[in-house]
Amino acid sequence: MDRKAKIVAVTGKGGVGKTSLAAALVRRLTEKYPKAKILAIDADPAVGLATALGAEVRETLDDVRREITEGVSEKLKETQDILAEAKFRLLDMMDERNGFAFLAIGRPESSGCYCAVNSYLRDVISMLAEQFDYVVIDGEAGIEQINRRVMEQVSHLLLVTDQSRKGMQVIETIKEVADRLVMYEKMGVAVNRITQYKIELQNPYPDAPMVRIGNDEAQIVNDIQGKSVFELPKDSELIKGAEEILQSFEL
């Protein structure tokens, strides 16, 4: 296996099942490659990937950032200096289970700009990618992290939407920004939670694969009960959709 990590960034409008799909991708990777080093990163301030994966959040990236920068000189607060200080802490704080490691970036306690954590995350992704075979990132809804170049080094960009025109408009905007700022190798579209199969869905990007995923009743129950995707049956719509995405990405 090529030691350069395959980094899949999952993006899209909020409320389209982006986090559940990211978790399903992690599950399928662990099943397909039991000997691979797999990292799941929760980069969404909504902090839902841990529950979807059944992972424990011990410390977040923002916890480490705040602890290191507290009471130190302005010079040490530079991102690279923080990374040098935090490198070994990051590996220790990860939750490892079910064949993957989990890292949450956290949510700043103060309101306002999220850019400090996003800037830090960009460099952390670069650093950690050297130590893993596959990285799946559940990104923040919308274009903010794309616009701030947080995802500039991903190899695979997955745009997630539902059947709504609004959802399609969001992924179109994300792609426009990503084409300028992200050096991705492959891009794909996942239309999730399909309920109306009679409505024809046009792929806005004929050169990119589009995976259609039906509304998953088993996942809805799982979500209500706070269960992880590892408890879903293999033939669930979500898990089958995740496998189809990996195949389309040749992963």
Side-chain angles (χ1 to χ4, degrees):
M1 182 182 296
D2 188 348
R3 278 306 303 158
K4 183 181 178 182
K6 303 298 183 183
I7 306 176
V8 182
V10 184
T11 66
K13 186 177 77 68
V16 297
K18 174 177 59 66
T19 296
S20 296
L21 189 51
L25 290 172
V26 173
R27 169 179 160 171
R28 285 302 298 133
L29 284 171
T30 63
E31 293 169 343
K32 293 181 73 170
Y33 307 110
K35 294 183 180 180
K37 294 182 178 179
I38 299 166
L39 173 64
I41 298 179
D42 190 345
D44 188 341
V47 195
L49 189 60
T51 301
L53 288 170
E56 178 186 353
V57 181
R58 298 168 183 169
E59 281 185 299
T60 70
L61 190 60
D62 193 53
D63 292 333
V64 174
R65 181 188 66 84
R66 283 188 285 110
E67 184 178 320
I68 291 173
T69 57
E70 217 168 67
V72 299
S73 68
E74 287 301 319
K75 184 179 178 181
L76 186 60
K77 291 183 182 181
E78 293 297 322
T79 301
Q80 293 302 324
D81 293 323
I82 294 171
L83 285 176
E85 290 287 318
K87 184 173 182 179
F88 298 106
R89 274 278 300 278
L90 287 172
L91 296 175
D92 289 338
M93 67 186 273
M94 290 180 192
D95 182 29
E96 297 186 37
R97 62 180 71 203
N98 292 327
F100 69 93
F102 174 81
L103 175 67
I105 68 164
R107 176 169 47 194
E109 293 177 1
S110 58
S111 60
C113 185
Y114 201 63
C115 53
V117 179
N118 279 340
S119 176
Y120 191 25
L121 174 62
R122 178 179 61 239
D123 294 293
V124 166
I125 291 170
S126 177
M127 181 185 74
L128 293 178
E130 299 174 1
Q131 302 174 52
F132 289 88
D133 301 304
Y134 298 96
V135 179
V136 177
I137 306 170
D138 179 23
E140 181 180 358
I143 68 166
E144 185 67 12
Q145 287 176 337
I146 298 290
N147 205 33
R148 291 190 178 276
R149 293 181 172 281
V150 177
M151 306 297 185
E152 66 180 353
Q153 301 175 79
V154 306
S155 58
H156 295 72
L157 185 65
L158 181 64
L159 308 177
V160 184
T161 182
D162 53 16
Q163 290 174 289
S164 70
R165 180 57 194 151
K166 186 175 181 180
M168 288 289 187
Q169 287 173 336
V170 170
I171 66 169
E172 287 168 9
T173 301
I174 291 173
K175 184 181 183 300
E176 287 174 8
V177 177
D179 284 345
R180 291 187 285 109
L181 302 177
V182 179
M183 297 178 289
Y184 63 85
E185 298 169 12
K186 294 185 179 181
M187 186 270 289
V189 176
V191 184
N192 196 25
R193 297 177 175 173
I194 294 176
T195 56
Q196 296 295 327
Y197 287 92
K198 293 180 180 179
I199 299 176
E200 185 177 352
L201 297 172
Q202 295 289 339
N203 185 351
Y205 313 110
D207 294 334
M210 186 169 83
V211 175
R212 297 165 173 82
I213 305 173
N215 197 41
D216 194 329
E217 294 293 334
Q219 171 55 23
I220 293 173
V221 174
N222 247 31
D223 219 9
I224 293 172
Q225 297 178 345
K227 293 182 178 180
S228 81
V229 294
F230 287 90
E231 298 178 76
L232 285 173
K234 288 186 177 181
D235 62 351
S236 73
E237 293 291 333
L238 186 67
I239 301 303
K240 289 191 297 183
E243 174 58 26
E244 191 175 342
I245 289 166
L246 292 180
Q247 288 179 0
S248 71
F249 277 161
E250 299 181 335
L251 294 177

